């Protein structure tokens, strides 16, 4: 409509599942309905050009869980209503500044029947904002910085926290964020370097027993780190992409299950992650790649006090792939974990016995896939 662009997203999604355990059937039914209109409007004020985006979000989540063997019947409803606006301003050919904000009202209702009727309801209003700037330094490099406040609402199937009569409803996770970085691009190369810090309140996480055995809002936490990634053309048919991340995740203060976790590492967050992919395209329709991924050691789940004495071991995985893509057909063959590395990405510590339970990842795995796209000839 003139210079403005109007859009409307409408969605409906349902999920139904049945599983058998603990001597009975567990039925889970979910439904999500969402409506999201928005407008994008370019305009100018003097020498400054603007790109304004504004919109509304409305969604409703229904969740129904029945476990007859436990005599449990739980129903939850969550309704979100939000308004947001963002303005990206081109101050000069080398400087762009964007400012945005969002306000969301959330109403959550939970009704449970297990050894009696238990009900809980809560309405909350949460806000987020961000200010960001991008400055070109020369023809190849630019610097950026951004700061803001973000939030994550507990979704409808995780809203039940630790508490029984009445059920406890989790609080929204709120984060104060900062990030600075450099980006560069030239002939045959692209590079990005970034540093970030997030101070979180009420971070949402599942804490296993014996500490809690429930979803919970954690004490204040901090996640900070450095990321480097790039892509380089080594030859006309050879490309290398690589990345590295150093992340530190700690509790700033507080207690979990009556135990002090101040300064302790948050479980299941590896300090180091690195990866590289070498891609070779010998012909237009053919591409092969070798991907190496390294994940550093991390604290076991359930070891919020870091007293277990051991860490989940680091591991390195090698994946191979060959793809033929021509016309409407695409064929792909892959070998995952080609060296049959024995590793696990999740394990839970038993602090009382000094043992742990791990979920091993698959050893060498072969995959073959074929797809036909009707919109291509």
């Amino acid at each position: 409509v003139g210079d403005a662009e109007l859009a409307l997203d409408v969605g409906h999604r349902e999920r139904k599942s049945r599983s058998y355990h603990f001597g009975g059937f567990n039925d889970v039914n979910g439904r999500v309905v969402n409506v999201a209109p928005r407008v994008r409007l370019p305009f100018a004020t003097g020498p400054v050009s603007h790109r304004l985006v504004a919109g509304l979000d409305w969604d409703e989540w229904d969740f129904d869980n029945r476990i007859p063997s436990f005599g449990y019947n739980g129903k939850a409803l969550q309704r979100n209503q939000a308004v947001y606006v963002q303005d990206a301003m081109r101050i000069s050919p080398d400087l762009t500044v964007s400012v945005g904000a969002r306000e969301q009202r959330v109403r959550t209702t939970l009704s449970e029947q297990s050894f009696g009727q238990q009900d809980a309801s809560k309405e909350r209003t949460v806000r987020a904002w961000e200010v960001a700037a991008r400055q070109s330094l020369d023809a190849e490099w630019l610097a950026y910085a951004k700061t803001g406040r973000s939030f994550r609402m507990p979704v409808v199937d995780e809203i039940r926290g630790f508490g029984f009569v009445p059920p406890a409803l989790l609080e929204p996770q709120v984060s104060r964020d900062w990030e600075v970085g450099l980006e560069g691009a030239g002939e045959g190369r692209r590079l990005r370097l970034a540093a970030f810090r997030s101070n979180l309140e009420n971070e949402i996480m599942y804490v296993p027993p014996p500490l809690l055995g429930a979803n919970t809002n954690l004490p204040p936490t901090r996640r900070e780190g450095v990321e480097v990634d790039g892509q380089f053309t080594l030859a006309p048919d050879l490309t290398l992409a690589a990345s590295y991340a150093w992340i530190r995740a700690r509790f700033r203060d507080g207690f979990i299950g009556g135990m002090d976790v101040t300064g302790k590492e948050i479980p299941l967050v590896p300090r180091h992650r690195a990866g590289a992919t070498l891609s070779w395209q010998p012909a237009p329709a053919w591409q092969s790649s070798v991907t190496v991924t390294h994940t550093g050691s991390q604290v076991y789940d359930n070891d919020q006090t870091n007293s277990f004495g051991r860490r989940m071991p680091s591991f390195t995985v090698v994946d191979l792939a060959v793809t033929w893509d021509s016309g409407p057909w695409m064929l792909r063959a892959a070998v995952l974990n080609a060296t049959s590395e024995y590793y696990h990405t999740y394990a839970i510590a038993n602090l009382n016995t000094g043992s742990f339970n791990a979920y091993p990842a698959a050893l060498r795995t072969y995959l073959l896939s074929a797809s036909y796209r009707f919109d291509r000839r």
Side-chain angles (χ1 to χ4, degrees):
V1 181
D3 292 332
E5 178 184 301
L6 306 177
L8 175 66
D9 293 333
V10 179
H12 178 93
R13 184 169 74 249
E14 291 192 18
R15 170 183 175 238
K16 296 184 179 182
S17 69
R18 163 168 282 197
S19 58
Y20 183 85
H21 59 100
F22 297 118
F25 287 99
N26 179 13
D27 292 304
V28 177
N29 300 315
R31 180 184 65 89
V32 183
V33 179
N34 68 281
V35 179
R38 65 182 180 275
V39 59
R40 181 181 288 112
L41 178 64
F43 65 97
T45 54
V48 179
S49 62
H50 299 255
R51 191 175 184 180
L52 183 70
V53 178
L56 304 172
D57 284 334
W58 177 90
D59 58 74
E60 185 174 275
W61 300 62
D62 283 305
F63 186 73
D64 185 358
N65 187 9
R66 296 184 178 91
I67 311 177
S69 57
F70 286 171
Y72 178 84
N73 184 4
K75 295 183 179 181
L77 174 66
Q78 183 166 292
R79 181 172 294 156
N80 299 283
Q81 298 170 304
V83 58
Y84 63 89
V85 62
Q86 184 186 51
D87 187 9
M89 297 166 283
R90 192 174 181 88
I91 308 299
S92 71
D94 297 331
L95 177 62
T96 301
V97 176
S98 64
V99 179
R102 177 184 181 94
E103 181 173 283
Q104 183 166 319
R105 184 170 61 187
V106 184
R107 180 169 182 81
T108 305
T109 303
L110 176 63
S111 177
E112 295 181 321
Q113 187 173 3
S114 179
F115 307 108
Q117 185 72 28
Q118 305 171 12
D119 300 295
S121 181
K122 186 176 290 188
E123 184 171 306
R124 289 154 293 191
T125 298
V126 288
R127 298 176 179 87
W129 58 269
E130 183 181 81
V131 178
R134 298 171 65 90
Q135 173 69 53
S136 296
L137 304 178
D138 55 30
E140 293 188 354
W141 290 92
L142 64 85
Y144 70 89
K146 59 183 178 180
T147 184
R149 183 179 189 269
S150 59
F151 63 83
R152 180 175 91 81
M153 295 301 304
V155 294
V156 71
D157 59 343
E158 68 177 0
I159 58 175
R160 198 200 201 291
F162 184 70
F164 295 96
V165 184
L169 298 183
L170 296 182
E171 292 297 321
Q173 172 181 306
V174 178
S175 179
R176 184 73 170 86
D177 308 310
W178 299 265
E179 182 177 337
V180 294
L182 286 171
E183 294 181 358
E187 185 176 353
R189 67 183 185 277
R190 176 190 58 79
L191 188 65
R192 182 183 72 95
L193 171 65
F196 67 90
R197 169 178 284 186
S198 295
N199 287 340
L200 296 98
E201 305 284 345
N202 293 322
E203 182 175 348
I204 299 170
M205 182 177 287
Y206 177 79
V207 177
L211 291 180
L212 286 181
N215 299 322
T216 188
N217 291 120
L218 296 180
T221 57
R222 172 176 292 158
R223 295 173 182 257
E224 57 189 353
V226 176
E227 297 175 335
V228 183
D229 60 77
Q231 183 171 308
F232 310 91
T233 301
L234 306 180
D237 58 353
L238 198 62
T239 302
L240 174 66
S243 63
Y244 170 76
W246 175 86
I247 298 175
R248 182 168 62 182
R250 294 184 179 274
F251 295 98
R252 287 185 283 150
D253 58 59
F255 292 81
I256 294 181
M259 306 180 73
D260 188 3
V261 295
T262 303
K264 304 299 183 180
E265 287 189 61
I266 299 174
L268 303 178
V269 182
R271 182 73 63 89
H272 304 278
R273 287 192 180 190
T277 298
L278 184 65
S279 300
W280 178 45
Q281 189 170 15
W286 289 91
Q287 180 167 304
S288 60
S289 65
V290 179
T291 299
V292 181
T293 305
H294 174 79
T295 302
S297 64
Q298 51 197 301
V299 175
Y300 282 93
D301 201 4
N302 204 38
D303 188 20
Q304 281 77 11
T305 58
N306 299 175
S307 58
F308 186 57
R310 285 181 287 174
R311 299 168 63 92
M312 290 173 55
S314 60
F315 57 89
T316 301
V317 178
V318 179
D319 299 327
L320 310 175
V322 177
T323 303
W324 179 78
D325 189 353
S326 179
W329 283 100
M330 183 173 71
L331 307 178
R332 184 174 185 269
V335 182
L336 307 183
N337 193 6
T339 61
S340 279
E341 174 84 358
Y342 182 82
Y343 70 99
H344 49 268
T345 59
Y346 180 80
I348 181 170
N350 188 324
L351 303 182
N352 296 324
T353 63
S355 62
F356 64 88
N357 294 330
Y359 294 80
L363 298 177
R364 185 181 298 115
T365 303
Y366 302 92
L367 297 176
L368 180 64
S369 64
S371 62
Y372 184 90
R373 288 158 292 185
F374 292 92
D375 59 344
R376 293 180 60 179
R377 294 290 183 267

